[in-house]
Amino acid sequence: MLANEKAVNQGVAPVTYGQGDRPPRGDYSAARADYTCEQNWSAYTAAEHDLYRRLYERQAAQLNGLACDEFIEAVQHLGKPERIPRFDELSEALYRHTRWEVVAVPGLIPEEAFFGLLAQRRFPVTGWLRKPEEFDYIVEPDVFHDLFGHVPLLFNPVFADYMQAYGAGGLKASRLDACELLARLYWYTVEFGLIQTPRGVRAYGAGILSSAGELRHSVRSAEPSRVGFDLQRIMRTRYKIDSYQATYFVIESFQQLFEATAPDFTPIYRAVRDLPEIEAGVVLPDERRIAAAD
Ligand SMILES: [Fe+2]
């Protein structure tokens, strides 16, 4: 969601990651005005299907004890890992469960387009897959991150409703010039969220679940700070886009997440703007550190 838009003559404007001069990835020339496009499934090569399978199997092998049960149960909906899933087939199954669908996009998309799709219960999934040399780390989200990380929990009814509410809230935040504050909520929940369980903390954030190293780090390492979910605290907290997170926020349940985001954020944005920002990794004096899982 940290995006720079650049003008082009056809399709829609490409979007790049972060504030730097990275060229856009993905073909934006065939995208519709809402940034959706065709998945073009037949264009994936055998080598790409195989790379997807290797990514999938590496992550699936370490889910037990690190990912939350809801994710582990739902990941099977992605189907066999031998092939990159067809978005139309996945959408059919997803719609039956939670009335969500997945739609292809060329890559990163502008905030307004992103929020608009979420508000319509349409999750944008990048069409392209990373290169083999990006097996361990990739800057931009690719089809593996978007599918493996995000789509399973859209089969969970409460989380699915949270995502739609987030999209609707985003459209409103755009009008209130509060997108950066709301982006932090997405970052620390949808991308890098942890959840408390009777057996210790577990991961539910897509950025963690699709990362080879951060899954274990976020749940088991004593190094990062883990604190309880607090909406205003999250909106005040800066985050890192190029390293493991220094702070993770831990929810009690998806219901807690949904309920915390139900109120009108307008007065919350106002309150947050009057308070100092908090650097990633800092634990405030009145906060309780939550322990890593055994
Ligand atoms: Fe993501």
Side-chain angles (χ1 to χ4, degrees):
M1 286 204 286
L2 300 165
N4 301 322
E5 289 173 57
K6 290 187 181 139
V8 288
N9 296 326
Q10 51 181 338
V12 289
V15 179
T16 56
Y17 199 80
Q19 308 299 324
D21 289 328
R22 294 176 65 82
R25 288 185 76 163
D27 177 12
Y28 289 79
S29 65
R32 305 173 189 100
D34 66 357
Y35 276 83
T36 64
C37 61
E38 296 302 315
Q39 183 190 14
N40 200 8
W41 189 85
S42 57
Y44 294 125
T45 64
E48 285 177 321
H49 287 300
D50 190 59
L51 178 58
Y52 172 86
R53 177 190 60 77
R54 290 191 292 125
L55 287 162
Y56 184 111
E57 288 179 347
R58 175 173 64 180
Q59 291 309 104
Q62 54 171 334
L63 292 179
N64 278 336
L66 299 178
C68 66
D69 289 344
E70 292 87 345
F71 183 88
I72 292 173
E73 282 160 24
V75 77
Q76 49 156 328
H77 291 297
L78 295 179
K80 291 200 187 326
E82 281 75 17
R83 290 282 179 271
I84 297 168
R86 297 185 71 112
F87 295 176
D88 51 358
E89 291 176 6
L90 199 50
S91 288
E92 254 182 61
L94 187 54
Y95 195 84
R96 281 200 304 275
H97 279 79
T98 55
R99 292 185 299 106
W100 271 77
E101 56 184 322
V102 295
V103 290
V105 288
L108 289 166
I109 64 174
E111 284 168 340
E112 289 253 16
F114 181 72
F115 295 142
L117 290 171
L118 294 188
Q120 299 168 52
R121 297 176 89 89
R122 301 168 81 202
F123 190 78
V125 175
T126 301
W128 55 266
L129 182 68
R130 70 192 69 187
K131 302 265 178 277
E133 58 269 27
E134 295 169 309
F135 188 70
D136 289 325
Y137 181 71
I138 184 165
V139 179
E140 299 92 344
D142 70 337
V143 62
F144 178 73
H145 165 82
D146 285 343
L147 275 183
F148 189 91
H150 287 284
V151 174
L153 279 183
L154 291 173
F155 282 86
N156 178 283
V158 180
F159 192 81
D161 285 348
Y162 169 66
M163 289 291 279
Q164 179 184 21
Y166 183 87
L171 292 173
K172 196 168 167 190
S174 306
R175 296 193 293 272
L176 298 170
D177 200 21
C179 284
E180 195 181 336
L181 301 180
L182 198 65
R184 289 174 177 170
L185 175 63
Y186 192 87
W187 190 266
Y188 280 121
T189 62
V190 179
E191 294 292 358
F192 293 96
L194 297 180
I195 185 167
Q196 192 59 264
T197 80
R199 289 156 292 132
V201 295
R202 296 289 185 270
Y204 72 89
I208 301 175
L209 290 159
S210 63
S211 160
E214 190 155 3
L215 185 47
R216 179 165 294 274
H217 175 85
S218 67
V219 173
R220 297 268 171 87
S221 169
E223 200 181 304
S225 307
R226 296 178 192 80
V227 294
F229 173 88
D230 178 308
L231 183 62
Q232 287 200 26
R233 164 70 157 94
I234 285 178
M235 288 188 182
R236 292 172 59 195
T237 308
R238 300 167 67 89
Y239 58 80
K240 296 170 183 286
I241 64 167
D242 52 5
S243 65
Y244 292 165
Q245 299 307 303
T247 300
Y248 298 97
F249 289 91
V250 183
I251 60 170
E252 297 290 333
S253 65
F254 293 130
Q255 193 63 36
Q256 179 199 19
L257 193 55
F258 181 68
E259 286 170 12
T261 51
D264 178 11
F265 280 8
T266 312
I268 298 172
Y269 294 142
R270 214 175 295 134
V272 168
R273 284 199 184 100
D274 286 341
L275 295 166
E277 291 195 320
I278 302 167
E279 290 302 322
V282 168
V283 176
L284 301 177
D286 60 341
E287 278 179 335
R288 185 177 69 85
R289 265 185 113 101
I290 295 172
D294 295 332

